[in-house]
Amino acid sequence: MPKIRILQEDLINKIAAGEVVERPASVVKELLDNSYDAGATHISIDIQEGGINKIHIVDNGEGMDKEDAEMAFKRHATSKIQQIEDLLNLKNYGFRGEALATISAVSKVTLKTRKKDQNLGTEIKIEGGQITLTTETGAPQGTSILIEDLFYNVPARKEFLKATSTEYKEILDIVDSYAIANPGTGISLVHNDKTIYNLPSDDKLEDRIRSILGSDTFEKLIPLFFEHPHLEIYGYVSKPELASERKKRQYIFVNKRPINNRSIAFNVKDAYGSLIPRNSYPVFLVFLDLPTNVVDVNVHPRKEEVKFSNDQFINTSVRSCVKSALNRTDLTPGAQDKGVPRSPFASPFVKNPFSPPTTPQTTKTSKPFSDPFWNAPYADPFGGMDDTLTPGSGMNSNFLQIHNLYIVAETETGLLIYDQHAVHERIIYEQLISKHQKKNQTGQTQGLLTPIVLNLSAQESTILAEHLETLKEAGFEIEEFGGNSYKITQVPAILSQFDIKGIIHEILDDLEEHQETKKVDSQSNKILTYLACRSAYKAGDLLHQEEIAAMIEKLKLADIEYTCPHGRPVKIELTWKELSRMFKRT
Ligand code: ADP
Ligand code: MG
């Protein structure tokens, strides 16, 4: 008996699905490929539960007749290429003829489609790769494809799916990138019956990017230009101030195809040189238009990567194009950002580390002591202090900031060294958590004379919406303000002097990176920890002496004064004994 056999068609398709259909977002990607390839001028996407229950995509493209509609679900069935040379002149996203075959092998599919010149359309139902219904139907021109119960017949695959919110964000990433690549096609996205966006079919690239990234981000982008007979580069890179530790919002499009490419990403980042820290990454949208015959699109099962015939030329061009964009731009942070420094003392009054710090008096932002928290300890920073928990009471009233990072204080038993970020972080965290836990506590919030408006991306807005309750309980008053905008009218008093807009953007960044916690408790703790961390003074912030005194005083009232919310030490002590030993005095 021979032991080698050809596998059954539906098993082949299930195996192929393993490569092509990794998760709901890959289904969305393949279906979008098809709708754009069909010349649609409008595409609507409706998903339920992160696409696991339902993905419904409707386009007004060319549609299919009955024969093609049945054929489309066969493996290696495509209208896009006929011979290998066609790959060198490919104008479509698709070419493998695999997507519909593999998707229908692992889900329940309902297709309705009608070609322009036909009166009746076709409806086809397929379950697990088997056609269960083919019938004529009335249908608008174009194609509607409904995918239900993804992986219902491949339980092992279903196990690998993440939380629906994570799957949803993966889909949003895909839809965002296709929407940016095709500004001239209208696109709407609905998740769990909520419209996430609905964009017109005559957007310019600029409008589209603004809608997708949110105008807060768009306003910090710099346009790119580069022209060569065989290569055009355009798009945007961010001002250095938008760089973050996360590689987010980094889009590369090759002939409008969204791709990943590490060397292009590296060259964009490298062009910033010392404008951004080494472990920081800019936001960018780099479009490369070049002749199709110098790009190999057939190098990745999900078509996420391409290969260039001349990598080096592409990389050097990207790099010099980004460099010249940065060089010709005034990179000073925008006026609204300049006005509200993170530390109230990081102001022009104390910018020069060699001049003695002066307490700023005039402007609102430079008057940190108007807030009740900062006011209290000033008259006598150490009066009535309970020292019992601190080793060595009776501190010397002279506080010293060193390295713009540590605070050194003399006590009876030795030297206390504080980490200014950790101290401040602990204090802010405790204020926020106490407000959050005792929900009705009053007196620790501050109304804003001018509300702060956040113009977010759909991605950021989803994350903010998930944490809105926690933020409200911690003292924020935030309302939805149409689309993906929010209005902040009240903030926790302890944060009232800081750049709230910047801080919120930073915590959204943090939260986007760490999506996995599902428990509500740890979710609120997480956002309060991030909030404290992002608001606290950083290493390098020059602090005023009274500010240091108030901070140390406040730390003593904290429930836990030894570690920051992440568990790092807030202070360490070097005793006189230890010092004597080190200097061999004993
Ligand atoms: P590919 O896109 O690689 O050709 P698919 O399996 O995705 O393979 O689709 C098979 C064929 O079905 C396509 O080549 C196209 O002719 C047709 N098709 C799929 N989706 C659509 C659509 N939305 N509108 C019109 N035709 C479609
Ligand atoms: Mg396709």
Side-chain angles (χ1 to χ4, degrees):
M1 269 284 278
K3 58 179 179 183
I4 303 178
R5 272 158 292 173
I6 302 281
L7 296 177
Q8 300 264 325
E9 171 94 359
D10 81 311
L11 182 53
I12 295 176
N13 283 339
K14 272 191 191 157
I15 292 170
E19 277 197 320
V20 180
V21 188
E22 202 186 14
R23 58 201 317 172
S26 10
V27 174
V28 172
K29 177 190 157 65
E30 292 295 339
L31 299 181
L32 284 180
D33 274 359
N34 286 344
S35 294
Y36 285 109
D37 285 350
T41 58
H42 192 275
I43 302 172
S44 69
I45 307 156
D46 182 357
I47 53 173
Q48 288 284 342
E49 302 303 326
I52 299 167
N53 291 3
K54 175 180 126 177
I55 296 170
H56 188 193
I57 298 196
V58 180
D59 68 54
N60 63 356
E62 64 179 345
M64 287 174 272
D65 62 20
K66 179 166 171 281
E67 213 180 332
D68 277 343
E70 284 177 333
M71 191 60 142
F73 290 94
K74 297 212 183 320
R75 191 152 149 83
H76 309 304
T78 179
S79 57
K80 296 168 195 173
I81 58 164
Q82 283 176 19
Q83 50 204 15
I84 193 69
E85 290 75 26
D86 293 343
L87 278 182
L88 296 178
N89 191 26
L90 193 70
K91 298 274 190 303
N92 295 305
Y93 283 129
F95 55 86
R96 292 229 173 91
E98 272 189 322
L100 292 185
T102 49
I103 292 168
S104 64
V106 294
S107 66
K108 299 172 184 169
V109 179
T110 306
L111 172 89
K112 285 185 189 167
T113 182
R114 182 172 71 81
K115 274 185 97 145
K116 190 177 181 182
D117 51 8
Q118 296 192 327
N119 291 330
L120 277 176
T122 306
E123 176 172 349
I124 293 181
K125 278 184 182 287
I126 302 195
E127 270 190 34
Q130 305 300 319
I131 295 192
T132 57
L133 174 88
T134 307
T135 179
E136 285 188 326
T137 184
Q141 186 210 317
T143 301
S144 143
I145 181 156
L146 170 68
I147 311 294
E148 289 170 296
D149 279 347
L150 185 62
F151 300 136
Y152 81 100
N153 56 353
V154 204
R157 272 269 144 173
K158 210 162 179 162
E159 287 283 295
F160 275 98
L161 293 177
K162 304 223 168 104
T164 56
S165 59
T166 312
E167 295 299 343
Y168 162 62
K169 278 164 201 141
E170 294 284 336
I171 291 177
L172 197 48
D173 270 342
I174 294 285
V175 180
D176 282 356
S177 63
Y178 277 79
I180 291 171
N182 300 278
T185 304
I187 187 163
S188 67
L189 174 66
V190 174
H191 182 229
N192 291 346
D193 303 320
K194 182 174 184 241
T195 300
I196 308 301
Y197 46 68
N198 186 4
L199 305 170
S201 49
D202 56 356
D203 264 353
K204 299 213 166 43
L205 180 62
E206 183 186 323
D207 307 323
R208 190 52 72 87
I209 294 174
R210 185 190 288 274
S211 302
I212 297 291
L213 301 194
S215 51
D216 287 356
T217 299
F218 184 78
E219 274 149 25
K220 292 176 179 170
L221 299 181
I222 307 165
L224 296 175
F225 313 99
F226 177 89
E227 265 188 30
H228 178 276
H230 300 302
L231 173 67
E232 196 183 333
I233 304 176
Y234 55 97
Y236 295 86
V237 291
S238 63
K239 285 189 174 182
E241 59 184 297
L242 206 63
S244 83
E245 284 151 32
R246 258 191 91 221
K247 293 181 187 172
K248 58 157 207 172
R249 296 298 190 186
Q250 301 199 329
Y251 296 100
I252 303 167
F253 303 94
V254 172
N255 295 337
K256 316 275 186 307
R257 179 189 298 277
I259 58 144
N260 300 324
N261 185 306
R262 286 163 68 152
S263 35
I264 293 178
F266 171 83
N267 277 285
V268 174
K269 144 88 178 151
D270 211 45
Y272 281 72
S274 60
L275 284 173
I276 55 177
R278 239 167 39 149
N279 59 347
S280 258
Y281 302 90
V283 168
F284 61 77
L285 305 101
V286 175
F287 287 77
L288 301 158
D289 283 0
L290 64 173
T292 49
N293 63 355
V294 296
V295 191
D296 187 351
V297 290
N298 187 27
V299 292
H300 188 278
R302 289 184 299 281
K303 300 166 285 176
E304 286 167 9
E305 286 169 20
V306 298
K307 210 163 173 299
F308 300 103
S309 59
N310 190 344
D311 266 334
Q312 211 188 340
F313 171 59
I314 303 280
N315 287 325
T316 348
S317 308
V318 165
R319 201 185 149 96
S320 63
C321 166
V322 175
K323 264 198 162 161
S324 68
L326 292 167
N327 281 343
R328 66 168 185 266
T329 311
D330 176 0
L331 299 176
T332 320
Q336 82 237 44
D337 308 310
K338 255 190 298 189
V340 191
R342 180 175 304 285
S343 158
F345 284 96
S347 69
F349 293 97
V350 287
K351 262 275 147 66
N352 177 359
F354 300 105
S355 62
T358 319
T359 309
Q361 297 290 336
T362 45
T363 64
K364 180 178 176 286
T365 52
S366 58
K367 226 188 198 174
F369 308 129
S370 58
D371 141 10
F373 154 53
W374 292 111
N375 262 338
Y378 274 71
D380 173 10
F382 304 103
M385 195 167 66
D386 173 9
D387 267 339
T388 47
L389 277 178
T390 311
S393 55
M395 254 185 233
N396 188 320
S397 62
N398 186 12
F399 285 92
L400 172 65
Q401 184 191 25
I402 55 169
H403 208 45
N404 285 355
L405 166 59
Y406 299 112
I407 295 159
V408 181
E410 181 187 338
T411 70
E412 275 175 7
T413 50
L415 287 183
L416 265 182
I417 306 171
Y418 297 85
D419 177 316
Q420 70 187 37
H421 173 71
V423 173
H424 199 203
E425 196 180 13
R426 164 55 69 185
I427 295 168
I428 296 174
Y429 175 76
E430 292 222 354
Q431 294 258 322
L432 295 175
I433 202 96
S434 107
K435 175 81 184 156
H436 178 258
Q437 281 164 357
K438 303 170 199 156
K439 298 184 168 96
N440 295 320
Q441 198 177 322
T442 53
Q444 291 188 353
T445 57
Q446 179 142 339
L448 300 175
L449 284 177
T450 320
I452 295 167
V453 176
L454 300 167
N455 294 307
L456 306 178
S457 67
Q459 192 88 253
E460 292 167 324
S461 151
T462 311
I463 298 169
L464 185 62
E466 280 168 12
H467 296 89
L468 217 50
E469 229 15 66
T470 307
L471 287 172
K472 284 181 180 171
E473 285 166 10
F476 283 90
E477 200 57 64
I478 306 185
E479 301 159 31
E480 290 192 22
F481 199 45
N484 293 316
S485 297
Y486 291 81
K487 188 169 79 173
I488 306 179
T489 48
Q490 178 187 284
V491 298
I494 194 165
L495 303 181
S496 63
Q497 303 301 317
F498 297 116
D499 168 19
I500 297 291
K501 194 167 180 162
I503 290 170
I504 297 276
H505 274 278
E506 284 178 5
I507 64 171
L508 290 175
D509 235 36
D510 294 333
L511 291 163
E512 200 172 334
E513 190 172 19
H514 300 109
Q515 275 307 317
E516 289 305 299
T517 321
K518 284 179 199 158
K519 278 197 233 135
V520 174
D521 270 6
S522 35
Q523 283 282 14
S524 14
N525 192 44
K526 193 168 65 174
I527 193 166
L528 299 183
T529 307
Y530 286 146
L531 197 52
C533 180
R534 292 301 184 171
S535 319
Y537 303 138
K538 301 282 180 289
D541 283 350
L542 189 62
L543 304 186
H544 190 278
Q545 200 153 27
E546 284 159 319
E547 192 171 20
I548 293 171
M551 202 162 71
I552 301 302
E553 171 77 358
K554 201 75 195 170
L555 178 69
K556 292 176 164 300
L557 305 175
D559 285 344
I560 300 174
E561 58 166 310
Y562 302 103
T563 55
C564 78
H566 303 99
R568 282 200 304 116
V570 159
K571 58 183 176 182
I572 55 169
E573 188 177 22
L574 204 55
T575 62
W576 299 130
K577 264 194 197 145
E578 281 167 318
L579 280 173
S580 299
R581 212 172 33 242
M582 286 181 209
F583 285 106
K584 309 219 180 297
R585 283 179 161 274
T586 48

